Amino acid sequence: MSGTETISQARPVESFQSLEDRRVEFPVLNQKVHGCDLVYFDNAATTQKPRRVIDALTYYYEHDNANVHRGIHELSNRASSAYENTRVRAAKFLNARSADEIIFTRGTTEGINLVAQSWGGKFIKAGDKILLTEMEHHSNIVPWQLLAARTGAQLVYLPVTGDRGLLDLSRIDEWLTRDIKLFAMTHISNTLGTVNPVTELCAKARKLGVTTLVDAAQSAGHRKVDVQEIGCDFLVLSSHKMCGPTGVGILYGRLDVLEQTPPYQGGGDMISSVDFFNSTWNKVPHKFEAGTPNIADVIAFGTALDYLDEVGREKIAEHDIELSAYCYAQLAKLPGVRLFGPETGRAGLVSFLLKDVHAHDVVMMADQAGVALRGGHHCNQPLMRKLGVESTARASFYFYNTTAEVDRLIEVLREIQRFFGTV
Ligand code: 7TS
């Protein structure tokens, strides 16, 4: 039995009347920053970790630590089965057909690079077109640029319309055509808060024989993500944005697609047999996991997935919608505010600018009041240029955030406006 099953018992679920009650499970939230209660609004960058996930890491190192897939001794067997249990757990979380469709990576970025190098290296040829959207994170742009430079392929971008930040789907048929080889799209924009209709887009792509990749970095920890319902060929996510540890991510790939995809890195574990000059590959998914993996963090990620399902992904999604709608409405009352992204139906984040105050000044002054925001281009430089700005300030939420914290943000922003004399 894996030791992680016996880690400290959490409070019974019934004792949580509301999501807010869950704050007690996050040790980091209970602190003062610059003398003020911490308001953590940088969840799109990384979420905080519940006690249970932190305990799973410690428990593993104190009881089960050993290398996986190689030992015959008890600790190695425990570590291997806990590691593989997370794969099974992740398959269930995403509703994949099989645990073999789950590859552990370092995160979303590595997942996309794996697809670009291995799948792209085999299937993308000179003159082929790769369709992206104008709201992609650099992680879903640069690997394709590298592939295009290597192969002579061409990148094409589905446009975003104005400050409302929606994909221009009225003209989708002009962009998504039979000569597109791959369509890689974000599910939720980390700057605009737009939720893209990935199920419809993947269905359209499938009809045309276009391979699809969904970047679920901002969605997987915030709402139900069902790979069979979405119907994508690849989907990527990061554990650290969904209550899990850093340094772990998942690349989901449809089994038949993964079987045709060559290995990513060479080394131990990914081989079936090695000769001095040639090797043969292990089965999927091990073919894509060279070397000793990030065992402890993968195991603790399994704990995070259990935790998210206990909290309830529908509840998290509802909370995101309510809190970001509330924040958007309160921000809209500030004089000289510019808001980005859709007014309704947005995910749990809001990007904004205050007239005549640089986003970095907003973020630095908010920090002095204990409010953690993010300011900058959010790894969306091409989108920023399109919007005609260099940066925005961004408040991004998770289920442990409250309307009282949004009120505190607004109060702090009013103080900043008074300080700069812009009101
Ligand atoms: N894709 C999207 C949509 C993202 O928001 C991010 C990270 C990534 C990919 C990359 O994820 P990683 O875990 O591999 O780094 N987004 C952010 C952000 O908005 N602020 O900091 C990181």
Side-chain angles (χ1 to χ4, degrees):
M1 184 181 84
S2 156
T4 53
E5 288 165 32
T6 60
I7 56 173
S8 64
Q9 286 306 303
R11 274 169 58 174
V13 182
E14 311 78 67
S15 73
F16 295 106
Q17 300 296 320
S18 69
L19 290 178
E20 197 173 322
D21 292 345
R22 294 229 173 235
R23 289 176 70 85
V24 297
E25 296 185 295
F26 291 79
V28 81
L29 294 177
N30 183 25
Q31 63 174 298
K32 291 203 183 292
V33 168
H34 304 303
C36 305
D37 286 340
L38 169 66
V39 173
Y40 185 77
F41 278 169
D42 196 16
N43 293 287
T46 199
T47 66
Q48 298 302 347
K49 321 302 172 200
R51 165 66 67 202
R52 230 178 285 183
V53 169
I54 302 166
D55 284 351
L57 283 171
T58 314
Y59 190 96
Y60 168 77
Y61 283 122
E62 286 183 352
H63 297 86
D64 298 336
N65 179 48
N67 212 326
V68 291
H69 306 145
R70 26 198 111 183
I72 309 177
H73 58 82
E74 170 66 14
L75 296 196
S76 177
N77 287 339
R78 275 192 227 152
S80 303
S81 78
Y83 179 83
E84 289 304 325
N85 281 346
T86 299
R87 203 188 301 278
V88 174
R89 185 67 191 82
K92 190 166 159 239
F93 191 86
L94 295 173
N95 194 29
R97 287 166 209 83
S98 146
D100 293 344
E101 297 184 317
I102 304 295
I103 297 161
F104 291 118
T105 62
R106 283 193 297 120
T108 302
T109 303
E110 187 175 47
I112 298 171
N113 276 280
L114 192 163
V115 175
Q117 283 191 41
S118 297
W119 180 89
K122 179 169 171 187
F123 291 105
I124 298 288
K125 305 273 179 270
D128 284 347
K129 287 186 186 164
I130 297 168
L131 179 64
L132 307 171
T133 84
E134 286 182 342
M135 64 170 83
E136 297 310 314
H137 187 277
H138 294 169
S139 294
N140 201 22
I141 297 178
V142 184
W144 306 116
Q145 290 178 343
L146 292 171
L147 177 66
R150 266 201 315 277
T151 57
Q154 189 193 340
L155 303 187
V156 188
Y157 288 89
L158 189 59
V160 169
T161 56
D163 279 8
R164 284 187 58 235
L166 298 174
L167 291 177
D168 185 1
L169 296 177
S170 64
R171 293 163 58 206
I172 182 75
D173 294 333
E174 287 173 40
W175 303 96
L176 184 55
T177 53
R178 264 179 212 289
D179 58 348
I180 301 290
K181 262 288 169 64
L182 174 88
F183 181 15
M185 70 206 88
T186 193
H187 192 178
I188 289 179
S189 158
N190 65 317
T191 288
L192 300 166
T194 312
V195 184
N196 289 323
V198 287
T199 304
E200 289 75 14
L201 292 172
C202 288
K204 227 175 209 323
R206 204 165 47 247
K207 273 196 200 135
L208 299 169
V210 176
T211 301
T212 49
L213 178 145
V214 173
D215 175 349
Q218 295 296 344
S219 59
H222 289 258
R223 54 181 59 214
K224 202 177 106 217
V225 169
D226 177 329
V227 290
Q228 292 194 58
E229 191 181 305
I230 294 173
C232 49
D233 295 296
F234 296 109
L235 182 136
V236 284
L237 57 83
S238 295
S239 145
H240 72 95
K241 293 188 198 286
M242 44 198 299
C243 287
T246 51
V248 179
I250 285 174
L251 163 63
Y252 155 84
R254 253 191 31 223
L255 199 56
D256 55 319
V257 182
L258 290 179
E259 271 162 358
Q260 294 169 48
T261 304
Y264 174 48
Q265 294 176 329
D269 242 23
M270 53 74 71
I271 52 88
S272 163
S273 101
V274 178
D275 191 14
F276 279 124
F277 301 103
N278 288 298
S279 302
T280 52
W281 316 135
N282 202 340
K283 290 187 313 225
V284 169
H286 305 290
K287 178 170 91 174
F288 298 104
E289 293 178 14
T292 299
N294 188 353
I295 306 164
D297 293 307
V298 165
I299 293 171
F301 182 35
T303 307
L305 295 178
D306 286 341
Y307 178 74
L308 287 179
D309 272 341
E310 182 187 301
V311 176
R313 282 181 274 169
E314 277 86 4
K315 267 203 210 157
I316 296 173
E318 276 169 32
H319 184 264
D320 273 355
I321 291 166
E322 282 170 20
L323 205 56
S324 64
Y326 180 69
C327 186
Y328 190 96
Q330 297 308 108
L331 281 169
K333 292 181 192 161
L334 295 177
V337 74
R338 179 172 169 193
L339 291 160
F340 298 87
E343 201 172 332
T344 55
R346 60 170 38 253
L349 62 93
V350 187
S351 270
F352 61 95
L353 280 175
L354 299 181
K355 188 165 179 290
D356 298 329
V357 189
H358 196 283
H360 285 148
D361 291 331
V362 171
V363 174
M364 274 165 54
M365 290 189 71
D367 174 56
Q368 290 305 307
V371 180
L373 301 175
R374 194 169 191 88
H377 53 63
H378 314 297
C379 294
N380 282 135
Q381 279 183 352
L383 176 69
M384 292 285 149
R385 272 185 214 111
K386 165 122 186 183
L387 296 170
V389 296
E390 268 176 24
S391 56
T392 70
R394 181 187 71 186
S396 56
F397 314 118
Y398 213 18
F399 56 84
Y400 39 66
N401 291 126
T402 65
T403 49
E405 289 181 309
V406 172
D407 291 340
R408 172 75 183 134
L409 166 69
I410 301 296
E411 185 183 288
V412 167
L413 294 177
R414 287 193 188 281
E415 281 165 21
I416 293 171
Q417 288 190 310
R418 279 196 292 275
F419 177 85
F420 280 95
T422 55
V423 281

